[in-house]
Amino acid sequence: MAVSAKRLVLATRNLDKVREMRQVLADVGWEVLSLEQFPGAPEVLEDGTTIEANAIKKALAIAQHTGLVALADDTGLEVAALGGAPGVCSSRYAGPAATYAENVRKLLRDLDGVPEEQRTARFRCVIAIAEGERVETVEGVCEGRITTAPRGNGGFGYDPVFLVPELGLTFAEMPLEQKNALSHRGKALREAKALLATWQTHEQRG
């Protein structure tokens, strides 16, 4: 009898993240499911004090709701000149319901007058993989610099102002494949793929 593919739920309703995740996980050997396929899934309040805590909370909640393995990420932009802000508050830097553009505008206002050499920043992405009460995490980091104005039409979030200095391009100026090869989330997803290769799921054990 043929063995069915292991199933993995992406624990996010952010369609931009789903698109990036699916591109990297295309060859993972699991059936990758969207949270949209589980209309009763809970909204998880991201009230953790660290990005690790938020990723773990989301992965556990969705794993327990679906009974499947769940993969969740949380990402923080850490700007040196701002003492590591916006950090865990990156998605709501300009307010609880802030848009991408509003967050970017606030970031640029807060860095107004800061010289180029002091605009260093890094993206950190923590991915949590959970099944039942079991959870493991991996991390990816990308170093860069914040530009003085948005550049490029791709990506999402802070991508238009996050410059990869060695290439002279923001994430928003890169095609998806190039961004995923370099980015914090791409790095974390490749670590997650390696971790998933070692997982024996309840579905298999059952």
Side-chain angles (χ1 to χ4, degrees), residues 122-125 139-143 182-185 187-188:
R122 69 173 185 167
F123 265 127
R124 285 183 62 230
C125 175
E139 181 175 336
V141 176
C142 184
E143 304 286 344
L182 300 168
S183 76
H184 49 297
R185 187 172 294 107
K187 292 174 182 177

Side-chain angles (χ1 to χ4, degrees), residues 160-192:
V161 294
F162 188 84
L163 182 81
V164 179
E166 55 266 35
L167 297 180
L169 297 173
T170 67
F171 277 157
E173 294 176 304
M174 300 179 188
L176 178 59
E177 293 77 10
Q178 185 178 24
K179 179 190 172 185
N180 275 340
L182 300 168
S183 76
H184 49 297
R185 187 172 294 107
K187 292 174 182 177
L189 284 166
R190 286 187 288 278
E191 292 291 327

